[in-house]
Amino acid sequence: MSDNQKVTIIGSGPAGWTAAIYAARANLKPVVLAGDGLSRERMPGGQLMFTTEVENYPGFEHGIDGQKMMSVMQQQAMRFGAVVKSSFVSRVDLSSRPFKIWHADELNGDGEEMLVSESVIICTGAAANYLGLETERKYENNGVSACAVCDGALPRFRGKPVVVVGGGDSAVEEATYLTKFASEVYLVHRRDALRASKIMAQRALTNPRIRPVWNSAVVEVLGSDELGVTGVRIKDIPSGKNYELECSGMFAAIGHTPNTAFLQGQIELDEKKYVVLKDRFRSMTSVEGVFAAGDCADSVYRQAITAAGMGCKAAIDAERWLAETGIH
Ligand code: NAP
């Protein structure tokens, strides 16, 4: 048996914490490199740290604050012996075993250290793409969202118009979902045709509550600190003219970017940079001993509960693989 670290978990959203709970309970003494908080993508706790209310995670009848949820998951992992470091992984060497992981806590000025590990579970998540407007950031969680399933049922959107930006499957799915709550959904797209699959596009375009706004871009989110979003300023691209559209919220549905840049050239990523999982162990990547879970390996579901489920699978797979190879 080697003295190296058995399991290192990179990332600390629901996938990372769940993997840590399972690995710790399997006596693997996992280290979690949770992120150093220097930017949004490096935040310990991940995307849920920017969500106020999580209403769809089973077990919380009245919902739970996203930050609280991540803190409780962390405590649960630590109770079983997981070691948590607030550091960010900048590079890895997965070309031979044991694997090498370089991490640092830049926020607190702690320099780079190298960790040697027999197995790795990657749980670095994905970041929703936003339009990049200053006013969009200002009203986040106050009418601006990138997840209809997470936020659509909130009282502020009920019976009021909302805007969805984008023209892909996510945009039509989000728009369709929001028709359950909103009085109407303006689907603002920069071109005159959707990129979404035919069947989903057709469903959205025949829904009387969805109003496409073609060849248009949101150039400003309007509102106040007290009311949050009250409208958006839209630019009609062909004429260049701007006008205001009243709405209670804006949902950006213009894609996600998985946080996998540091894995480029190390493991197989798909064309959109999501980690590719292999069949033998369902959470194993193209490199034996390297597993992945959560949004960095899932462009479809992207929910806290599905990420947690994947984290559980990855820890069980890592434990079995370590046993099979005689490392643990
Ligand atoms: P996507 O297919 O990449 O579509 C992104 C959309 O956002 C495009 O319409 C794009 O416009 C628009 N866009 C990108 N940047 C923009 C910007 N800065 N300003 C305005 N608009 C912008 O992303 P997605 O819809 O999230 O889908 C990702 C993948 O998941 C796809 O493979 C999709 O099929 C899959 N998915 C499947 C389902 C399902 O089957 N139920 C549901 C969701 C997602 P252009 O069209 O002009 O490029």
Side-chain angles (χ1 to χ4, degrees):
M1 252 202 250
S2 92
D3 291 332
N4 290 331
Q5 180 63 39
K6 302 282 185 303
V7 181
T8 300
I9 296 164
I10 307 177
S12 59
W17 293 132
T18 307
I21 292 165
Y22 274 77
R25 293 191 80 248
N27 219 11
L28 291 166
K29 300 185 178 58
V31 166
V32 181
L33 303 174
D36 64 3
L38 193 65
S39 65
R40 197 185 164 96
E41 287 70 40
R42 293 160 72 144
M43 190 59 75
Q47 292 187 88
L48 282 173
M49 301 302 281
F50 308 98
T51 305
T52 39
E53 198 68 9
V54 182
E55 289 184 325
N56 54 8
Y57 199 97
F60 301 97
E61 188 185 356
H62 302 292
I64 180 168
D65 175 85
Q67 295 188 6
K68 167 90 178 155
M69 187 188 214
M70 289 303 93
S71 157
V72 172
M73 284 191 186
Q74 175 172 352
Q75 297 307 321
Q76 191 176 352
M78 288 168 70
R79 186 160 82 82
F80 296 112
V83 173
V84 179
K85 295 187 183 208
S86 33
S87 57
F88 175 74
V89 174
S90 51
R91 60 196 171 107
V92 289
D93 180 357
L94 308 176
S95 60
S96 61
R97 291 205 305 268
F99 305 116
K100 297 189 190 74
I101 302 163
W102 286 269
H103 62 101
D105 180 354
E106 278 186 43
L107 191 65
N108 290 307
D110 292 347
E112 194 171 70
E113 284 176 35
M114 190 187 71
L115 198 148
V116 178
S117 188
E118 300 289 351
S119 72
V120 180
I121 304 179
I122 299 160
C123 306
T124 46
N129 297 337
Y130 285 85
L131 297 171
L133 307 169
E134 219 170 89
T135 45
E136 180 184 45
R137 228 341 108 89
K138 180 172 171 194
Y139 294 116
E140 208 179 331
N141 280 329
N142 205 3
V144 170
S145 168
C147 179
V149 178
C150 318
D151 299 328
L154 294 175
R156 64 167 298 119
F157 303 119
R158 288 182 185 255
K160 309 220 180 75
V162 297
V163 160
V164 172
V165 183
D169 280 328
S170 293
V172 297
E173 198 169 61
E174 303 255 305
T176 306
Y177 182 81
L178 285 164
T179 58
K180 292 189 210 173
F181 313 104
S183 55
E184 59 241 294
V185 180
Y186 295 103
L187 183 57
V188 177
H189 186 34
R190 61 187 178 184
R191 294 186 296 119
D192 65 356
L194 297 174
R195 145 189 317 278
S197 55
K198 282 239 156 31
I199 186 159
M200 288 177 68
Q202 173 84 4
R203 203 175 299 148
L205 294 176
T206 53
N207 186 322
R209 285 207 190 179
I210 296 180
R211 311 220 173 138
V213 183
W214 302 116
N215 298 311
S216 299
V218 171
V219 290
E220 190 183 350
V221 182
L222 308 169
S224 67
D225 288 346
E226 195 191 338
L227 298 173
V229 175
T230 56
V232 291
R233 195 179 311 284
I234 298 216
K235 179 181 182 179
D236 177 63
I237 296 168
S239 68
K241 290 207 170 106
N242 287 356
Y243 64 96
E244 285 180 20
L245 186 63
E246 202 180 298
C247 63
S248 62
M250 184 190 85
F251 291 78
I254 59 170
H256 282 71
T257 304
N259 301 319
T260 55
F262 72 108
L263 297 167
Q264 191 71 46
Q266 298 281 339
I267 60 174
E268 189 181 339
L269 305 175
D270 70 13
E271 74 282 359
K272 292 202 164 153
K273 310 293 178 204
Y274 286 89
V275 178
V276 174
L277 300 180
K278 299 287 173 182
D279 269 349
R280 191 171 74 84
F281 283 97
R282 282 167 192 275
S283 62
M284 198 184 267
T285 67
S286 58
V287 175
E288 281 260 339
V290 179
F291 303 81
D295 289 12
C296 68
D298 171 21
S299 65
V300 177
Y301 301 104
R302 301 192 294 241
Q303 301 299 302
I305 186 69
T306 50
M310 290 174 82
C312 161
K313 289 194 211 173
I316 291 174
D317 287 349
E319 183 193 3
R320 290 187 182 155
W321 178 81
L322 287 163
E324 205 178 83
T325 49
I327 295 170
H328 183 69

